[in-house]
Amino acid sequence: MKKGSKISNAVIKRLPRYRRYLNELKRKGVDKISSRELSDLIGYTASQIRQDLNNFGGFGQQGYGYNVEALYNEISSILGLDKEYKMVIVGAGNLGQAIANHTSYYKAGFVVCSLFEVNPKLVGIKINDIDVRDCEELVPYIEDNSIDIGIICTTKDAAQEVADKMSFAGVKGIWNFAAVDLEVPETVAVENVHLSDGLHSLAYHINRNHYFE
């Protein structure tokens, strides 16, 4: 990464897409690819791809393009995917259980260590062989187990209190699925996933032709 440079969030959000396509190319045995060929696959312009990657240094060679495996590894490193992250989930309802059962997270180095729940009917059970604990144990568990990421799958009314506890206990990041924007210390990164926003955007795209008639 260029020293002193600040990378826009838009660029960061495109990196996982690059990585996903590069992984497919690796799987197919492709050794090298040009920005133009990558553009045809991904849908971004070749210029946009070059600009995005130049934020982190020069990975390609003029007349050769990009080494697929090397670029995949570089982007993985930039995203911090060359290490393991310990995670907890607060909210063991349908969404929390779905995330706990999504084994692809473990393959990528994201390990769910425990779930937490206020419903006594769920406390004490196991989901994908992961214990569901009482929410009262959240702070000491995070502190004792050096948890990196907290995942919030609660109601929006409970989400801020949960985020406060996670931040106090020392998580580095919060993946928030509650329908509310959280306030956290600057030292804690937050990624908000508002599922309804995507659905509403889809509804717009379905109806946009009628809107402009």
Side-chain angles (χ1 to χ4, degrees), residues 19 73 76-86 105-111 148-149 172:
R19 182 177 179 273
N73 291 337
S76 296
S77 179
I78 291 165
L79 289 170
L81 300 179
D82 53 352
K83 59 188 75 171
E84 184 175 276
Y85 297 90
K86 295 180 180 180
Y105 292 128
Y106 310 130
K107 295 176 184 176
F110 295 92
V111 181
D148 301 296
I149 297 172
K172 300 181 182 79

Side-chain angles (χ1 to χ4, degrees), residues 152 156-165 180-184:
I152 297 179
K156 65 179 182 179
D157 294 330
Q160 184 61 57
E161 182 180 354
V162 171
D164 291 342
K165 290 181 177 180
V180 62
D181 292 326
L182 302 173
E183 294 183 9
V184 299

Side-chain angles (χ1 to χ4, degrees), residues 58-172:
F59 300 129
Q61 299 176 25
Q62 191 170 4
Y64 176 86
Y66 300 101
N67 179 289
V68 170
E69 184 167 7
L71 184 57
Y72 173 85
N73 291 337
E74 288 284 356
I75 291 176
S76 296
S77 179
I78 291 165
L79 289 170
L81 300 179
D82 53 352
K83 59 188 75 171
E84 184 175 276
Y85 297 90
K86 295 180 180 180
M87 309 192 299
V88 295
I89 300 171
V90 177
N94 292 335
L95 181 56
Q97 292 186 33
I99 293 173
N101 282 310
H102 198 332
T103 57
S104 65
Y105 292 128
Y106 310 130
K107 295 176 184 176
F110 295 92
V111 181
V112 178
C113 299
S114 182
L115 293 95
F116 293 85
E117 178 58 56
V118 295
N119 184 347
K121 293 181 179 178
L122 294 176
V123 173
I125 69 170
K126 286 182 181 287
I127 297 169
N128 196 18
D129 207 32
I130 305 167
D131 291 324
V132 178
R133 293 177 166 85
D134 192 296
C135 270
E136 293 298 319
E137 301 176 43
L138 178 63
V139 170
Y141 186 91
I142 290 174
E143 292 175 335
D144 293 343
N145 293 277
S146 301
I147 299 300
D148 301 296
I149 297 172
I151 303 173
I152 297 179
C153 299
T154 66
T155 64
K156 65 179 182 179
D157 294 330
Q160 184 61 57
E161 182 180 354
V162 171
D164 291 342
K165 290 181 177 180
M166 288 178 170
S167 301
F168 173 81
V171 300
K172 300 181 182 79

Side-chain angles (χ1 to χ4, degrees), residues 14 18 34-53 66:
R14 286 193 287 271
Y18 293 143
S34 68
S35 57
R36 177 64 62 189
E37 291 168 329
L38 202 51
S39 169
D40 292 339
L41 282 174
I42 297 178
Y44 305 143
T45 66
S47 175
Q48 179 73 75
I49 292 169
R50 289 193 297 270
Q51 287 177 25
D52 286 350
L53 297 178
Y66 300 101

